[in-house]
Amino acid sequence: MGDGSVLVVGGTGGIGREVARRYHERGHDVTITGRNLERTSAVAAELGADVGALAFDLAEPETIAEAISGLGAVSRLVLSSIARDNNPIRDYTIADAINLTTMKLVGYTTTVNALIGRLSEDSSVVLFGGRAKDRPYPGSTTVTTVNGGVSSLIRTLAVELAPVRFNAIHPGIVGDSPFWENKPLDAVIQRTPTGRLVTMAEVVDATEFLLENRGVNGVNLAIDGGWMLL
Ligand SMILES: NC(=O)c1ccc[n+]([C@@H]2O[C@H](COP(=O)([O-])OP(=O)(O)OC[C@H]3O[C@@H](n4cnc5c(N)ncnc54)[C@H](OP(=O)(O)O)[C@@H]3O)[C@@H](O)[C@H]2O)c1
């Protein structure tokens, strides 16, 4: 994997936490981030006594460089943070749209920028988008837009920062993720050829593949059980 640690931005919950758990279990030096240092430190301690914790808000990109200034070399970077934004265009809330757009597009990019000197030619990065980029739903305008933006962002980053590899993962609805578990999802399941929702473990497997396979670069990988086929 080369020298350096694994940094999971948005590692306090959901899929990001499971990615951090996977890499820590494999014996890697892992740091997670969230917005609140106390909460992030508590999650890090649950994952392992040697898991690092940092706090910053991606929606305040000017603060990111300082917040991660203490990190050494970074071999694997995962950007998995999200702010949910149900924002119908007929009842549009500008502040929510700015928050999500800033955190996922400017915030993700600023994190990469701040780490440039600590990435090596063997480093790789995975950004999280989502299948809403292709299948919108009422209220998804900002989510659909930013996830579409992620699919383009990896291409510019992979070119500008070559040979560092940049890939994106676009999950469908992840049935056992904290946001979705216990919500009625029969309509989505019926429209999924595999007859089930994807799991966090499957998304973590795919993330690891994108991070570790040195031939994969600039790829937008959907993990959705074939949801778009029906
Ligand atoms: N779950 C799904 O079904 C699904 C489907 C499609 C795409 N995705 C994508 O997969 C990724 C992970 O989703 P998830 O459901 O696992 O997420 P999640 O459980 O909601 O976790 C979100 C993470 O983002 C962090 N976060 C929220 N706002 C932030 C901000 N302004 N600055 C920095 N960090 C912030 C949270 O940290 P704190 O709250 O501790 O600050 C937390 O660690 C997201 O990018 C999402 O869009 C998920």
Side-chain angles (χ1 to χ4, degrees):
M1 201 178 94
D3 289 339
S5 64
V6 178
L7 176 62
V8 183
V9 175
T12 59
I15 301 162
R17 179 168 52 187
E18 296 313 306
V19 172
R21 191 188 311 282
R22 171 77 59 90
Y23 273 88
H24 181 257
E25 284 172 358
R26 295 215 194 293
H28 297 293
D29 179 10
V30 174
T31 297
I32 63 169
T33 85
R35 285 165 294 181
N36 175 281
L37 186 57
E38 197 177 338
R39 172 175 145 71
T40 307
S41 299
V43 175
E46 280 169 27
L47 291 170
D50 55 342
V51 174
L54 293 172
F56 58 86
D57 188 336
L58 284 165
E60 295 176 12
E62 296 82 2
T63 67
I64 295 174
E66 171 65 21
I68 60 179
S69 60
L71 272 179
V74 172
S75 177
R76 302 287 179 262
L77 169 63
V78 177
L79 293 155
S80 72
S81 295
I82 182 66
R84 256 87 200 183
D85 178 28
N86 185 1
N87 206 344
I89 194 66
R90 292 180 196 284
D91 190 17
Y92 193 53
T93 306
I94 293 170
D96 291 348
I98 290 175
N99 182 58
L100 176 54
T101 307
T102 303
M103 66 162 292
K104 229 183 189 185
L105 296 181
V106 184
Y108 278 17
T109 308
T110 304
T111 306
V112 171
N113 167 266
L115 286 172
I116 285 174
R118 283 163 277 184
L119 300 172
S120 68
E121 57 184 37
D122 288 329
S123 295
S124 64
V125 181
V126 164
L127 284 66
F128 271 74
R131 237 352 184 173
K133 78 181 175 69
D134 306 300
R135 176 160 277 163
Y137 52 86
S140 80
T141 289
T142 316
V143 174
T144 294
T145 303
V146 297
N147 288 337
V150 165
S151 69
S152 298
L153 179 54
I154 58 161
R155 290 195 280 268
T156 70
L157 294 173
V159 170
E160 284 206 59
L161 296 179
V164 179
R165 294 183 296 107
F166 289 85
N167 295 289
I169 197 147
H170 298 277
I173 288 176
V174 183
D176 62 349
S177 62
F179 184 77
W180 288 111
E181 65 178 353
N182 304 321
K183 290 197 170 83
L185 294 166
D186 286 350
V188 182
I189 293 169
Q190 280 166 17
R191 211 172 169 180
T192 305
T194 51
R196 53 184 282 278
L197 299 171
V198 297
T199 66
M200 290 202 289
E202 289 160 351
V203 177
V204 173
D205 286 347
T207 305
E208 192 178 2
F209 162 71
L210 293 176
L211 286 171
E212 302 309 326
N213 189 306
R214 297 186 67 193
V216 181
N217 194 20
V219 165
N220 285 292
L221 182 60
I223 303 294
D224 65 357
W227 191 30
M228 291 301 294
L229 300 174
L230 294 178

